Amino acid sequence: MKILVTGGTGYIGSHTVVELQAKGHEVIIVDNLSNSSIDVLDNIAKISGKKPLFEKFDLTDPEMTAAFFKLHNDIKAIIHFAAFKAVGESVDYPLMYYRNNLVSLINILQGMIDNNIRDIVFSSSCTVYGQPEQLPAREDTPIQKAASPYGNTKQISEEIISDTSMNANIHAILLRYFNPIGAHETAIIGELPLGVPNCLMPYITQTAIGKRPFLRVWGDDYDTPDGTAIRDYIHVVDLAKAHVIAVERLTEGTGKKNVEIFNLGTGNGFSVMEVIKSFERTSGMKLNYEIKERRAGDIVKVWADTEFANTELGWKAEKTLDEMTSSAWKWELALAKKK
Ligand code: UD1
């Protein structure tokens, strides 16, 4: 089956391409390389033995997108990752975020309608739940007003897809990711943050390798057992595998509704200190860190109810926190060797 993966040279996209290829699917990637490297294509090929097809253009361009779909008229389904994802940047440049994340989605949906492509998997985020009143967060946990333009693009995108599916032949699976970390076991692909990372895991590994002097732990006075904030970290390869199952569910028509939503997490919450301890355990390193004030906009704790994904998709995250932190460290070491 030929599958279009937008943003396929990115972090989650590249891991998903590898898993799709492992199941025998043909992949065509569209990416504008705004936050990824063309080298990822060769790195994917090193793992899978097959270089995916690739087109570089910007999906916010309606003519280019329409022409792409006309040319590639054998695409059976789409996994749409391509988007901007930095929370702080979205606060500074809201229009850039709305234009990029929403216009590209609209162009893709138009391309699907014009070319009779029915199925799309969409990258959403647990950010839609904000700080849930009840934990774990279920798919029917109420959505809260987004705390950032980035988060809002995820909420609006979910609505755009749902509204479009009401009167067009569009079937969608919206995957709400918790906190993806880690890297492929080969350490040939992984997360490549541009500049100073915002997210915890790359900040930890960059500190350990000496690129950053110390990790700033944002707050240790939260209402949690050790005072640091809690998230549901999930290994990126587990996450990638869920995309393969989701896209096959769509094309096989085994879904129960035209638009289905699944949480992708492990169901376990870990605090920042627990992640640091896991990293120290698996790397044998001592991490420099300092406790700082809480980061504006951070929530206290969130983890997923994974029951629906486990039963309906027949999928379960398998990798432990130690496997996540050790693979992230192996990746950082491999990156250092390349330079
Ligand atoms: C962030 C976004 C979320 C988005 C997700 C995508 C915010 C507020 N939320 O989630 O909307 O969907 O990324 O990946 O930015 N931490 C430190 N020191 C650091 C970095 C992080 O202590 O240098 C802590 C944070 O305070 C938090 C935890 O580590 O408690 C995880 O942070 P992060 O990796 O940035 O993810 P989220 O904030 O959960």
Side-chain angles (χ1 to χ4, degrees):
M1 190 161 70
K2 189 164 177 182
I3 297 170
L4 165 61
V5 180
T6 76
T9 51
Y11 174 42
I12 306 174
S14 58
H15 288 83
T16 300
V17 170
V18 167
E19 297 304 321
L20 286 166
Q21 290 176 322
K23 291 290 295 289
H25 298 299
E26 190 186 358
V27 174
I28 178 160
I29 293 175
V30 170
D31 203 303
N32 65 4
L33 300 178
S34 65
N35 190 22
S36 59
S37 160
I38 190 80
D39 301 343
V40 171
L41 297 176
D42 287 328
N43 293 337
I44 288 172
K46 277 185 205 151
I47 298 173
S48 68
K50 193 156 188 241
K51 196 164 166 172
L53 300 169
F54 176 71
E55 296 262 3
K56 179 180 176 228
F57 70 92
D58 201 312
L59 288 157
T60 60
D61 183 327
E63 279 92 31
M64 297 278 280
T65 309
F68 168 84
F69 278 114
K70 273 234 141 48
L71 189 64
H72 298 277
N73 55 12
D74 54 348
I75 290 170
K76 287 279 170 293
I78 300 170
I79 306 181
H80 178 39
F81 292 104
F84 291 157
K85 59 173 185 180
V87 175
E89 186 182 60
S90 80
V91 176
D92 295 337
Y93 304 101
L95 290 183
M96 184 173 104
Y97 268 67
Y98 287 118
R99 187 176 296 116
N100 187 67
N101 292 4
L102 301 181
V103 174
S104 57
L105 175 65
I106 290 167
N107 289 341
I108 289 166
L109 289 170
Q110 189 63 56
M112 292 175 72
I113 292 169
D114 295 344
N115 296 278
N116 296 316
I117 302 168
R118 189 189 60 182
D119 300 324
I120 181 166
V121 176
F122 177 70
S123 296
S124 190
S125 166
C126 69
T127 193
V128 302
Y129 301 122
Q131 176 60 67
E133 274 170 31
Q134 283 191 334
L135 286 165
R138 290 161 46 105
E139 288 80 355
D140 58 4
T141 291
I143 284 180
Q144 299 198 32
K145 184 174 162 41
S148 70
Y150 157 76
N152 210 17
T153 68
K154 292 298 174 193
Q155 294 193 5
I156 298 171
S157 293
E158 288 195 355
E159 288 174 358
I160 291 174
I161 293 169
S162 299
D163 291 348
T164 309
S165 78
M166 297 284 197
N167 48 30
N169 188 25
I170 300 277
H171 291 187
I173 291 184
L174 316 178
L175 297 176
R176 292 181 179 158
Y177 313 150
F178 282 66
N179 286 57
I181 60 171
H184 196 264
E185 59 180 0
T186 59
I188 295 172
I189 56 172
E191 189 171 8
L192 269 173
L194 275 188
V196 184
N198 293 307
C199 289
L200 178 64
M201 197 67 239
Y203 211 105
I204 289 179
T205 56
Q206 289 197 4
T207 303
I209 205 104
K211 282 192 200 163
R212 317 271 158 221
F214 56 88
L215 171 76
R216 294 158 301 174
V217 174
W218 303 124
D220 70 346
D221 56 354
Y222 285 111
D223 179 21
T224 61
D226 66 20
T228 62
I230 293 177
R231 299 287 184 275
D232 184 340
Y233 297 93
I234 173 168
H235 197 296
V236 67
V237 172
D238 278 333
L239 195 74
K241 287 179 177 162
H243 288 75
V244 181
I245 294 171
V247 80
E248 289 175 346
R249 178 179 174 95
L250 284 168
T251 55
E252 285 161 14
T254 46
K256 306 248 162 78
K257 291 196 289 184
N258 289 357
V259 178
E260 293 183 308
I261 302 176
F262 295 98
N263 282 342
L264 297 183
T266 64
N268 303 312
F270 288 104
S271 72
V272 176
M273 281 315 299
E274 285 175 310
V275 177
I276 294 173
K277 280 190 199 131
S278 165
F279 173 79
E280 291 188 330
R281 192 162 52 236
T282 59
S283 68
M285 309 268 297
K286 191 99 202 84
L287 191 78
N288 270 336
Y289 66 86
E290 289 181 13
I291 307 292
K292 299 284 176 192
E293 293 289 302
R294 295 177 178 194
R295 180 169 71 175
D298 266 354
I299 56 165
V300 183
K301 49 188 165 185
V302 68
W303 58 92
D305 186 321
T306 61
E307 176 67 26
F308 191 53
N310 296 162
T311 52
E312 276 300 315
L313 296 180
W315 165 90
K316 201 170 182 357
E318 284 164 358
K319 292 183 189 291
T320 62
L321 181 62
D322 281 3
E323 288 172 295
M324 299 179 213
T325 57
S326 66
S327 66
W329 180 230
K330 200 171 152 194
W331 164 243
E332 190 71 60
L333 289 171
L335 271 182
K337 255 195 218 143
K338 275 190 206 157
K339 281 166 196 152

